[in-house]
Amino acid sequence: MKRVSDAIQKINPDAKFTIQNNLDFDNCEIEWHEGTTPISLEDIRVEWDKL
Amino acid sequence: MAFATIGTRGIQAQSVDLSSKVTGTLPVPNGGLGIASGTTGQFLKFTGTETLASAADNAGKILQVQSSIRSTETVTTNGSYVDTGLSVNITPSSTSSKILVMIGHGMNYTSSGTEVQFRIKREIGASVTELTKFVINLDGQGSTGGSSIMVLDTPNTTSQVSYLDQFYRSNGSGNVYLCVNNSSASITAMEIGA
């Protein structure tokens, strides 16, 4: 099962985030926390497609 | 031995017209109710050793139930409270009502020793209150478990009350998942008459 969180952590393993609807890339909501630099949806999509 | 005799001539049986000759409220010790009137559907209850009062016939009854179900996975790696996405709104019919809030959801960790804190947050307008919280620490990577939270609240309002489920990773390094694989979680709020 593909998870948006897995795609994000491929890019930044230390990212602090909360994701609603973690299994649905097209309908998820991502909050970035604790000063984590947001990752663009395009970059997350690249990793998502590799999962 | 001397005996006194009382004649019965001076005591006469008489009737009292309660509908027109007695006004006001008759005290409880005198055989009255101590109240002038009540409302249809109410009942009487003692409010002291010699006092009665009328009250609505809903004490202990469930007056309304509001519920919400969520079936989408939520994950956090955050170190402070975030919404799980589970919440419910209820508008009490009386300031004396109690609200029983119940939450249940499944959860999962990706790393051993990850600790999670949950809480129920109450919002009435701009007023925010933490009602209850607890900690879960499941040992073992990939641990899965259920968690439930309940609290009996007395919001003392007839305005809309919102109850929100929140969580955060309070220790460890793993991801914390709720509604794993889009399993269901629910929150229910029941108004109970006082």
Side-chain angles (χ1 to χ4, degrees), chain A residues 1 5 10 14 16 18 21 26-27 30 34 36-37 41-42 48:
Chain A
M1 194 167 287
S5 55
K10 291 275 187 185
D14 298 321
K16 300 294 187 296
T18 300
N21 216 352
D26 294 321
N27 295 293
I30 305 171
E34 300 180 24
T36 296
T37 301
L41 288 175
E42 290 77 13
W48 170 267

Side-chain angles (χ1 to χ4, degrees), chain B residues 181-193:
Chain B
N181 296 339
N182 288 347
S183 58
S184 294
S186 67
I187 181 170
T188 301
M190 299 194 300
E191 181 185 3
I192 302 170

Side-chain angles (χ1 to χ4, degrees), chain A residues 1 3 5-6 9 15-23 33-34, chain B residues 70 72-79 82-84 169 175 181-182:
Chain A
M1 194 167 287
R3 289 186 158 84
S5 55
D6 291 341
Q9 288 174 320
K16 300 294 187 296
F17 54 80
T18 300
I19 305 172
Q20 308 281 357
N21 216 352
N22 190 34
L23 304 182
H33 304 299
E34 300 180 24
Chain B
R70 182 178 175 84
T72 53
E73 184 176 292
T74 300
V75 58
T76 191
T77 59
N78 195 34
V82 295
D83 292 338
T84 66
R169 188 181 69 191
N175 297 355
N181 296 339
N182 288 347

Side-chain angles (χ1 to χ4, degrees), chain B residues 4-87:
Chain B
T5 301
I6 300 175
T8 58
R9 183 176 299 172
I11 302 176
Q12 298 179 357
Q14 295 183 359
S15 60
V16 177
D17 185 350
L18 295 175
S19 64
S20 61
K21 301 301 183 185
V22 177
T23 58
T25 58
L26 191 60
V28 174
N30 295 349
L33 299 176
I35 58 176
S37 63
T39 303
T40 300
Q42 289 187 323
F43 68 102
L44 289 173
K45 65 178 181 180
F46 277 95
T47 55
T49 56
E50 296 181 352
T51 56
L52 292 170
S54 58
D57 185 17
N58 61 8
K61 288 184 177 177
I62 296 174
L63 305 179
Q64 62 169 313
V65 178
Q66 302 295 332
S67 185
S68 175
I69 294 176
R70 182 178 175 84
S71 302
T72 53
E73 184 176 292
T74 300
V75 58
T76 191
T77 59
N78 195 34
S80 58
Y81 279 112
V82 295
D83 292 338
T84 66
L86 207 54
S87 64

